[in-house]
Amino acid sequence: QVYLVGSGGGLVQAGGSLRLSCAASGRTLSTNAISWFRKAPGKEREFVAGIRRSDGVTLYADSVKGRFTISRDNAKNTVYLQMNSLKPDDAAVYYCAAGPFIGKNVKNYDHWGQGTQVTVSS
């Protein structure tokens, strides 16, 4: 089993920044990809950004390119999502997810964290 703990959400003004963290534990060798998804009220869960732990290859949703940066610290089994220039549309519950392959489809991921709330005031 793989356990994921997401943290770092909060309330921020539009234009501000937050950094989310996803700490993985358990059988992490089976999970080469860790990604962030988000779900806003009334919307589907959507892919935000992902990173391949083995080589650092990253993938971003078009809506966050240039504003969000995903990174990893393999020694700490932790993935970070630096979010800059936040917009009210970025407000959602953010979930980290782990799976064998990086991709934008939720079906790629077998393990999910508990979610952390990001609120952006205009």
Side-chain angles (χ1 to χ4, degrees):
Q1 180 66 323
V2 176
Y3 303 94
L4 302 173
V5 178
S7 62
L11 171 63
V12 64
Q13 286 189 329
S17 298
L18 281 174
R19 189 177 81 155
L20 305 184
S21 298
C22 177
S25 60
R27 304 185 68 168
T28 57
L29 290 179
S30 66
T31 57
N32 194 27
I34 292 186
S35 294
W36 287 94
F37 287 76
R38 66 188 181 188
K39 188 178 187 314
K43 295 186 178 181
E44 297 286 322
R45 186 174 299 198
E46 65 173 351
F47 174 84
V48 176
I51 190 164
R52 205 155 58 192
R53 289 152 51 94
S54 55
D55 57 10
V57 167
T58 58
L59 187 64
Y60 293 95
D62 288 343
S63 58
V64 307
K65 279 181 183 176
R67 300 188 298 123
F68 291 10
T69 302
I70 191 168
S71 61
R72 80 212 194 281
D73 184 334
N74 285 346
K76 295 182 179 180
N77 277 332
T78 300
V79 168
Y80 304 97
L81 184 67
Q82 178 67 42
M83 305 187 295
N84 298 330
S85 302
L86 281 161
K87 306 175 182 179
D89 283 351
D90 295 317
V93 178
Y94 283 68
Y95 299 89
C96 60
F101 307 107
I102 195 172
K104 296 183 178 182
N105 194 319
V106 295
K107 296 180 180 179
N108 282 25
Y109 301 90
D110 307 312
H111 310 282
W112 292 82
Q114 83 284 10
T116 184
Q117 178 73 51
V118 171
T119 304
V120 183
S121 63
S122 56

